[in-house]
Amino acid sequence: AQSVTQLGSHVSVSEGALVLLRCNYSSSVPPYLFWYVQYPNQGLQLLLKYTSAATLVKGINGFEAEFKKSETSFHLTKPSAHMSDAAEYFCAVRYNNNDMRFGAGTRLTVKP
Amino acid sequence: DGGITQSPKYLFRKEGQNVTLSCEQNLNHDAMYWYRQDPGQGLRLIYYSQIVNDFQKGDIAEGYSVSREKKESFPLTVTSAQKNPTAFYLCASNPTGKNTEAFFGQGTRLTVV
């Protein structure tokens, strides 16, 4: 089945350090790709989305992601982590049948 | 303000009872979705609907039912056939188009005792 895989269920970084959250999709046909953030007991909020207009996508809160077709990846990065970035992050994919599928999520912890 | 409203936020039910979770949107979106979230498993698709009076099963539809009688409403019923119903349930919607993002409600946490 077409899906998306997030490598690493937990990532811990120090405040000010680089954040890298990994996402790979499984299809020879590039899908539409999304990154969402979730704070405890809340819904999901869109960080950014890839829609084929540009391979480097900038989102909210200083996050960005780069689409790499050769690696079937869409990793999320942020140059300098803030305490407020601590949350769970989900990569999502939409293929031609129009339903959206999510990865298992990565919980980001930011240490002072 | 436009958005998606899920109610209630917390719900407790006894084992063997059916329960219905509400999801209403005033965004004029065609597509609506129900996801179940369990720790370490991400979001799993239960049902989705792309148009009124039509819906499709997702990956984990067994023990659940939905209806889509109105564009703005997509209620989910958790039946007694669902073996492990305690979870966080999220409703989402998006406008027509593959490159459109989904908008989420705040979720309903269902606890069955």
Side-chain angles (χ1 to χ4, degrees), chain A residues 36 38 49 94 100-101, chain B residues 35 37 59 94 100-102:
Chain A
Y36 285 85
Q38 185 183 34
K49 64 180 181 180
R94 174 174 284 130
M100 184 176 279
R101 302 304 175 99
Chain B
Y35 294 91
Q37 186 176 19
D59 297 326
N94 66 260
T100 57
E101 68 268 29

Side-chain angles (χ1 to χ4, degrees), chain A residues 1 9 32-34 36 38-46 48-51 88 90 94-105 107, chain B residues 9-10 31 33 35 37 40-45 48 50 57-59 88 90 94-107 109:
Chain A
S9 59
Y32 295 97
L33 293 155
F34 308 82
Y36 285 85
Q38 185 183 34
Y39 298 98
N41 293 311
Q42 294 188 24
L44 276 66
Q45 178 184 4
L46 182 73
L48 49 81
K49 64 180 181 180
Y50 168 72
T51 60
E88 188 146 22
F90 292 94
R94 174 174 284 130
Y95 293 97
N96 289 332
N97 61 355
N98 209 34
D99 64 333
M100 184 176 279
R101 302 304 175 99
F102 288 80
R107 183 168 299 279
Chain B
K9 189 168 178 62
Y10 298 96
Y33 308 82
Y35 294 91
Q37 186 176 19
Q41 296 193 50
L43 278 69
R44 292 184 290 168
L45 183 64
Y48 65 103
Q50 297 186 15
K57 293 181 179 180
D59 297 326
F88 190 54
L90 286 161
N94 66 260
T96 303
K98 298 181 180 64
N99 66 344
T100 57
E101 68 268 29
F103 294 77
F104 282 82
Q106 292 298 297
R109 185 166 297 281

Side-chain angles (χ1 to χ4, degrees), chain A residues 2 12 30 35 51 55 68-70 82 94 100-101 109:
Chain A
Q2 296 167 330
S12 181
W35 273 101
T51 60
T55 56
K68 292 186 176 180
K69 183 178 178 180
S70 61
H82 295 165
R94 174 174 284 130
M100 184 176 279
R101 302 304 175 99
T109 301

Side-chain angles (χ1 to χ4, degrees), chain B residues 31-106:
Chain B
M32 296 187 74
Y33 308 82
W34 274 106
Y35 294 91
R36 170 180 171 139
Q37 186 176 19
D38 297 283
Q41 296 193 50
L43 278 69
R44 292 184 290 168
L45 183 64
I46 305 172
Y47 269 98
Y48 65 103
S49 168
Q50 297 186 15
I51 196 168
V52 174
N53 293 322
D54 186 49
F55 47 83
Q56 288 78 41
K57 293 181 179 180
D59 297 326
I60 56 166
E62 185 175 351
Y64 299 97
S65 66
V66 293
S67 62
R68 187 84 188 277
E69 297 177 0
K70 299 185 296 182
K71 187 175 185 178
E72 58 269 24
S73 179
F74 192 42
L76 173 74
T77 296
V78 184
T79 75
S80 57
Q82 169 49 236
K83 296 287 187 282
N84 185 20
T86 295
F88 190 54
Y89 291 87
L90 286 161
C91 180
S93 70
N94 66 260
T96 303
K98 298 181 180 64
N99 66 344
T100 57
E101 68 268 29
F103 294 77
F104 282 82
Q106 292 298 297

